[in-house]
Amino acid sequence: QVQLVESGGGLVQAGGSLRLSCAASGRTFSNYVMGWFRRPPGKEREYVARINLSGTIYADSVKGRFTISRDNAKNTVYLQMNSLKSEDTAVYYCAAGLVGGIGAQGYTYWGQGTQVTVSS
């Protein structure tokens, strides 16, 4: 069982930066693929980024602006978001799974989400 708690969301102006954190419980954190997803207002949940032993993969919409990283000693995954745009406004969720990938079905555990609002 893994419990995930996101933090770091908030209101930021376009062009600004935020860093999201996701703290995970459990002793097997390093075994999991960790992902970030988001749900923009009125839209479906969408993939943002994921990190595993092979490296990182980003959605085209955030490539070059967002960076996902993890600290296995702290059981924490991060999402550094730079050059934020109004279209980045969404509830951001972290997720953990043994399969991972860009589909939500690859993740078993989900956080409660944190709101990111980018004002233009």
Side-chain angles (χ1 to χ4, degrees):
Q1 189 79 8
V2 177
Q3 292 184 324
L4 304 172
V5 179
E6 302 99 335
S7 61
L11 174 64
V12 63
Q13 288 188 331
S17 299
L18 280 176
R19 188 175 82 154
L20 305 182
S21 299
C22 175
S25 65
R27 294 177 293 177
T28 59
F29 174 76
S30 59
N31 293 345
Y32 288 90
V33 179
M34 299 301 297
W36 285 97
F37 290 75
R38 66 186 182 186
R39 187 188 298 275
K43 297 184 179 180
E44 297 293 316
R45 180 174 52 191
E46 61 186 34
Y47 168 82
V48 175
R50 73 108 170 99
I51 183 168
N52 63 8
L53 292 176
S54 301
T56 58
I57 294 181
Y58 298 92
D60 287 343
S61 59
V62 306
K63 199 172 295 182
R65 301 187 298 122
F66 290 12
T67 302
I68 187 172
S69 62
R70 67 192 296 166
D71 186 337
N72 289 335
K74 295 182 178 180
N75 280 12
T76 302
V77 63
Y78 304 97
L79 186 68
Q80 177 67 44
M81 305 185 294
N82 298 329
S83 303
L84 283 161
K85 306 175 182 179
S86 57
E87 51 262 45
D88 295 318
T89 295
V91 178
Y92 284 72
Y93 301 89
C94 76
L98 296 177
V99 175
I102 65 172
Q105 66 274 14
Y107 298 85
T108 305
Y109 304 103
W110 293 81
Q112 82 289 349
T114 185
Q115 176 70 46
V116 172
T117 303
V118 183
S119 63
S120 56

